[in-house]
Amino acid sequence: MLLSALASGAEAAFFALSDAELEQYKNSHNKAEQKIYRLLQTPRKLLTTLLIINNGINVSIITLFAYVSWQVFGTRSLSAWAIICCMLLATFSIVFFAEVLPKIYANKRGASIARKLAPAISFLQEVSKPLSSTLMGISDYIEKHYLSKSYHQSLEELHHSLDMALINEETSPEERKLLRGIVNFGSITVGQIMRQRKDIVAFNMNATIPELLPLILKWGYSRVPVYAHSKDKIEGILYIKDLLPHINEGPEFKWQHLIRVPLLVSEQKHIAELLNDFKDKHVHMAIVVDEEGKTTGLLTLEDVVEEIVGEINDEFDDDEEIIYSQLDENTFIFDGKTSLHDFCKIAEIPFDSFNEVKSDASSVAGLMRSVFGRVPRVGETLSYGRFHFTIESADLKRVKRVKINVTSKKEVFQKAS
């Protein structure tokens, strides 16, 4: 019962810590506090570990209750009232002594409890890693293939209604894009629109101010991620406005204390939820991480808003055009490097149109490899649903250019009628 109470208390203690406390722990010399910070960089993994420990202990408690009952009554064939009494006693004991009381206590003394339990939890996380990884994998599979199924069906119905409205009404291209952006907004995930890790501009924490200034002028960003060893682990976000009062300082100035705690999110998070996080935490940038806490991408508030209103360019933005050409209303030629998200946006089709065949592909070239089952040759064609692909350019390793014909919804409706 004590072990179960410690597991429940640990859960409450770790997740009761504030962002300010975590920021202190990040630069702390206390090993326990450093472990707390590292554990909370992958909160889902930490929670899974704690649940495995707690449920394992609770199952042991129930088993012991059953064993003691058999010894007390001298038989394994217990009467109904005896079973009910044992069940009520075990449930009350676990809920009150191993759940409610520890969590109330831990909420008041979260930091102290977390420091004491951090070494043990860190060790148990490694021990239970095979089981926790398996459970998280199963959870991801169920969420991806079943829990979101009804949501996608509703989304398809909404797309159908929108297509019917756009066919029957006179709407400008700008209005059509805005309407589609609103409809699609709730279904878009962070991973679909994030800037990939290889494209992230980040500063090294070991750089001095004189070394930083040329980089700041070169890139012109107002917020820049900061790393210690590699981009795999972003330590914080440097706001250039925080650095301005110190630009005349020498190499000895410790600018690292100016960096702020980064907002870490997963690729599976929907941007509608992320927008709420941006508003609640008053930040404009999020670092995308995988289950191991390694950086996979970056996303800003501007990126999220652009999914509804379209591209937002100021006087400092470069015109980075997506490389494609439109031959007619339904036919496009795309560069293989174009992301699937951008292709769907330009062709005005649902973002989940290729979910069944794309596998892990994120670009048009990757989609071709998944659809064909190999790297296709120049001139090869293939149809999938209402899409017809023709390979315009390719080599032995990748597809460089693809012609894509999209059968319009209008034609589909006319054939159906």
Side-chain angles (χ1 to χ4, degrees):
M1 196 74 72
L2 177 61
L3 290 174
S4 180
L6 287 172
S8 298
E11 179 185 341
F14 275 95
F15 291 100
L17 296 172
S18 65
D19 291 339
E21 288 174 310
L22 288 180
E23 175 65 12
Q24 293 177 355
Y25 294 168
K26 182 178 70 171
N27 301 315
S28 173
H29 296 293
N30 185 296
K31 291 184 178 180
E33 292 180 348
Q34 291 175 359
K35 287 183 178 180
I36 292 172
Y37 178 79
R38 286 195 295 270
L39 287 169
L40 284 170
Q41 294 310 294
T42 52
R44 188 181 175 197
K45 184 178 179 181
L46 172 61
L47 181 59
T48 302
T49 300
L50 291 172
L51 290 176
I52 290 172
I53 296 169
N54 203 9
N55 282 284
I57 294 170
N58 289 342
V59 169
S60 300
I61 292 173
I62 297 297
T63 304
L64 286 172
F65 260 99
Y67 178 77
V68 170
S69 299
W70 296 338
Q71 296 300 316
V72 170
F73 292 99
T75 178
R76 294 189 179 186
S77 301
L78 302 179
S79 61
W81 70 267
I83 293 175
I84 292 174
C85 288
C86 289
M87 182 181 67
L88 292 176
L89 180 60
T91 302
F92 174 80
S93 301
I94 291 173
V95 171
F96 187 74
F97 294 107
E99 291 289 337
V100 177
L101 286 182
K103 288 184 177 180
I104 292 175
Y105 183 83
N107 278 325
K108 295 180 180 180
R109 300 168 177 81
S112 175
I113 293 174
R115 277 193 291 268
K116 292 177 181 177
L117 295 178
I121 298 299
S122 182
F123 171 75
L124 290 172
Q125 187 177 68
E126 292 301 315
V127 172
S128 63
K129 188 175 181 179
L131 180 57
S132 63
S133 298
T134 302
L135 290 175
M136 286 191 292
I138 295 173
S139 174
D140 290 338
Y141 180 84
I142 293 174
E143 182 178 357
K144 181 178 180 180
H145 291 83
Y146 297 101
L147 297 183
S148 61
K149 192 172 183 180
S150 60
Y151 173 80
H152 287 303
Q153 288 175 341
S154 301
L155 187 62
E156 287 176 5
E157 293 173 1
L158 191 56
H159 273 294
H160 177 79
S161 300
L162 178 61
D163 288 324
M164 291 295 292
L166 294 179
I167 288 172
N168 297 324
E169 299 290 338
E170 291 292 334
T171 55
S172 67
E174 290 76 16
E175 292 172 326
R176 187 164 64 247
K177 288 180 180 179
L178 184 61
L179 287 171
R180 289 189 182 279
I182 295 171
V183 170
N184 290 324
F185 189 73
S187 65
I188 300 172
T189 61
V190 167
Q192 290 177 290
I193 66 171
M194 70 180 185
R195 178 177 300 182
Q196 298 295 325
R197 176 191 176 281
K198 61 184 177 62
D199 299 322
I200 295 177
V201 174
F203 294 160
N204 193 318
M205 285 188 70
N206 297 321
T208 62
I209 282 191
E211 292 172 336
L212 285 182
L213 292 180
L215 296 175
I216 294 172
L217 293 173
K218 175 183 177 181
W219 297 108
Y221 294 124
S222 58
R223 302 170 184 84
V224 183
V226 177
Y227 64 90
H229 302 291
S230 73
K231 292 181 185 177
D232 283 337
K233 187 63 179 297
I234 300 298
E235 300 294 337
I237 307 296
L238 174 64
Y239 284 53
I240 304 305
K241 67 176 183 178
D242 294 339
L243 196 63
L244 289 178
H246 310 284
I247 57 174
N248 293 323
E249 299 285 352
E252 70 284 351
F253 178 72
K254 301 297 182 183
W255 59 271
Q256 290 79 3
H257 73 277
L258 299 174
I259 65 174
R260 307 190 188 188
V261 179
L263 172 61
L264 304 179
V265 299
S266 69
E267 292 186 30
Q268 290 73 37
K269 193 181 190 72
H270 286 88
I271 60 172
E273 300 174 10
L274 179 60
L275 182 59
N276 288 328
D277 290 342
F278 281 150
K279 292 191 294 183
D280 294 341
K281 299 181 182 297
H282 305 288
V283 297
H284 287 200
M285 179 181 289
I287 303 299
V288 188
V289 296
D290 59 16
E291 293 295 343
E292 300 297 325
K294 293 182 179 180
T295 305
T296 60
L298 177 149
L299 199 62
T300 65
L301 176 61
E302 182 179 323
D303 296 327
V304 174
V305 174
E306 285 180 342
E307 289 305 310
I308 295 181
V309 302
E311 293 298 317
I312 303 173
N313 294 315
D314 59 27
E315 63 273 25
F316 301 107
D317 284 339
D318 295 326
D319 294 329
E320 296 181 358
E321 295 290 337
I322 299 172
I323 302 175
Y324 81 100
S325 58
Q326 185 167 359
L327 304 183
D328 57 42
E329 183 180 358
N330 301 320
T331 307
F332 306 82
I333 294 180
F334 278 93
D335 186 280
K337 294 182 292 185
T338 305
S339 71
L340 284 180
H341 182 81
D342 288 334
F343 162 62
C344 293
K345 187 189 296 186
I346 292 168
E348 298 183 0
I349 60 176
F351 293 117
D352 59 352
S353 297
F354 305 105
N355 279 1
E356 295 183 1
V357 293
K358 71 175 185 178
S359 186
D360 295 328
S362 59
S363 65
V364 170
L367 176 64
M368 293 302 98
R369 179 189 283 268
S370 297
V371 171
F372 281 87
R374 53 181 170 77
V375 177
R377 296 186 296 273
V378 175
E380 286 195 75
T381 63
L382 186 143
S383 294
Y384 172 75
R386 61 192 186 98
F387 307 97
H388 185 76
F389 306 108
T390 302
I391 307 303
E392 294 281 310
S393 177
D395 57 26
L396 295 176
K397 294 182 179 179
R398 64 186 180 89
V399 173
K400 297 181 179 179
R401 196 168 60 253
V402 187
K403 181 167 72 173
I404 305 175
N405 180 270
V406 184
T407 304
S408 68
K409 286 281 188 174
K410 186 174 182 179
E411 293 177 25
V412 174
F413 294 146
Q414 288 174 346
K415 289 179 181 178
S417 61

